[in-house]
Amino acid sequence: MRVFGASFLAVLMMACGGGETSSTPAPATPAAPATTNSSNEPMTFAAQVAAGQKLYGEQCASCHGSSGEGAKAPRVVGMDKGALPLAPPPSAKARKGEFRTAADVAGFVVKTMPPKAPGSLPESDYWAILAFDLHANGVDLPKKLDASNASEVVLHP
């Protein structure tokens, strides 16, 4: 069982940056392992985080802030600053249960997000967005996040 404390949770979200280009071709390197399958579903946690970053921007940032800092909706990044608390905050309208594990967060998110169309995203999109949020909070996993391992990712022991 993995437990992640506040010391891991100060990681800030990073935007993709461009690098310098060169007219000299890079030396050939072995092909990287596949990061998506034939349905374009991420196969690794890193690929899932990358997909989740894009999806977060499209589906979540307008309410939760571009860096997860909270805007019209609660903070999702900065667990040491109140993001994803164990108990629902007193002001919570939809949330009633605890966020002890990533599975608890996933169960809530699938049923309630996005607010105007709950449950409308493909399941893999919800897992990718959650992987991105967890990564932004300092959580890195050896394999992609899904229903088979989410209960092992303990946010609050």
Side-chain angles (χ1 to χ4, degrees):
M1 184 177 298
R2 294 178 175 271
V3 178
F4 299 94
S7 63
F8 289 102
L9 305 174
V11 176
L12 299 175
M13 286 193 227
M14 296 170 37
C16 295
E20 293 182 25
T21 59
S22 169
S23 59
T24 307
T29 57
T35 57
T36 60
N37 61 20
S38 60
S39 67
N40 286 330
E41 187 176 316
M43 293 174 51
T44 66
F45 185 71
Q48 196 176 35
V49 167
Q53 181 177 16
K54 181 178 186 282
L55 290 163
Y56 178 90
E58 295 168 358
Q59 301 291 332
C60 313
S62 64
C63 292
H64 291 282
S66 62
S67 297
E69 72 280 5
K72 300 178 214 169
R75 169 186 286 276
V76 294
V77 174
M79 289 179 60
D80 57 337
K81 296 177 182 164
L84 306 175
L86 173 62
S91 61
K93 295 176 185 166
R95 183 176 160 204
K96 305 299 179 213
E98 292 184 336
F99 282 173
R100 192 165 301 281
T101 68
D104 298 330
V105 178
F108 171 76
V109 170
V110 169
K111 290 178 185 171
T112 62
M113 296 293 133
K116 293 182 181 178
S120 62
L121 302 177
E123 182 178 342
S124 62
D125 287 4
Y126 285 106
W127 287 115
I129 292 167
L130 182 54
F132 174 66
D133 287 343
L134 292 175
H135 177 73
N137 279 298
V139 176
D140 285 305
L141 301 175
K143 63 180 187 172
K144 79 176 197 173
L145 181 67
D146 60 27
S148 72
N149 64 357
S151 62
E152 298 171 10
V153 180
V154 177
L155 305 176
H156 302 283

